[in-house]
Amino acid sequence: MKTARRGDVVDVNYVKRFVDGTTVTSSKRGPTRVTVGVDHPRMPGLGMALEGMAVGATTVKRFEQQAYGQPNSAKVHKLHRARFEATAELSIGRWVRVRSRNGKMCLVRVLDIDDEMIFVETHHRWDAHLVEMKVELMAIV
């Protein structure tokens, strides 16, 4: 039986599961095309994990550092309370939306709160979190 080798283009179905219980799946879009040995932008670390898999095989892989990276202290900011909507539920650990300087809405996590300032981090919400992926190799193209 042929197995996927570095450089092969393959089609996979996947389910990504994050530590917070959130899942993302390819089921609505159909198979995702990945080059074995090359990182995929939405699924870092997956391309390397496919080497040696046979068509029809399913595997569960765990990724941490390769997935969304480590938090960066440069992404911790102190924002004035007025930057947040009056109805925003501000509590430590909560993810909330805030308007950036260029007017776009950003998702930030509240780290600390005082009378006038809110300390937030702006990294990807899954930085340094374990990502578990169930992957089925559908075809070697």
Side-chain angles (χ1 to χ4, degrees):
M1 179 175 280
K2 186 176 178 184
T3 60
R5 295 179 302 185
R6 184 180 281 291
D8 285 346
V9 176
V10 298
D11 288 336
V12 299
N13 281 331
Y14 66 87
V15 175
K16 287 193 283 188
R17 184 172 294 114
F18 298 91
V19 73
D20 68 357
T22 305
T23 60
V24 177
T25 179
S26 64
S27 63
K28 292 181 183 174
R29 293 184 299 274
T32 299
R33 191 151 284 176
V34 178
T35 301
V36 177
V38 176
D39 274 337
H40 188 278
R42 286 190 324 263
M43 299 174 291
L46 177 63
M48 303 304 255
L50 297 172
E51 199 165 355
M53 281 185 68
V55 173
T58 301
T59 188
V60 175
K61 299 287 183 183
R62 290 176 177 240
F63 306 101
E64 188 168 354
Q65 310 317 337
Q66 317 103 293
Y68 293 93
Q70 289 296 308
N72 181 343
S73 61
K75 294 185 177 188
V76 174
H77 304 282
K78 182 167 77 171
L79 304 176
H80 196 276
R81 190 177 280 273
R83 298 262 312 262
F84 296 84
E85 294 180 6
T87 58
E89 292 183 37
L90 301 175
S91 60
I92 295 174
R94 186 174 188 95
W95 287 91
V96 296
R97 295 206 179 274
V98 64
R99 191 163 305 281
S100 69
R101 290 182 188 159
N102 64 5
K104 292 184 179 179
M105 295 303 287
C106 300
L107 191 61
V108 299
R109 189 168 72 96
V110 177
L111 298 176
D112 198 12
I113 302 170
D114 71 21
D115 291 339
E116 293 184 22
M117 304 304 285
I118 310 294
F119 295 83
V120 300
E121 57 185 349
T122 60
H123 63 76
H124 192 286
R125 74 184 275 198
W126 292 320
D127 278 358
H129 282 80
L130 181 65
V131 177
E132 181 179 272
M133 294 184 76
K134 180 179 180 184
V135 181
E136 180 180 7
L137 183 61
M138 304 302 293
I140 299 173
V141 181

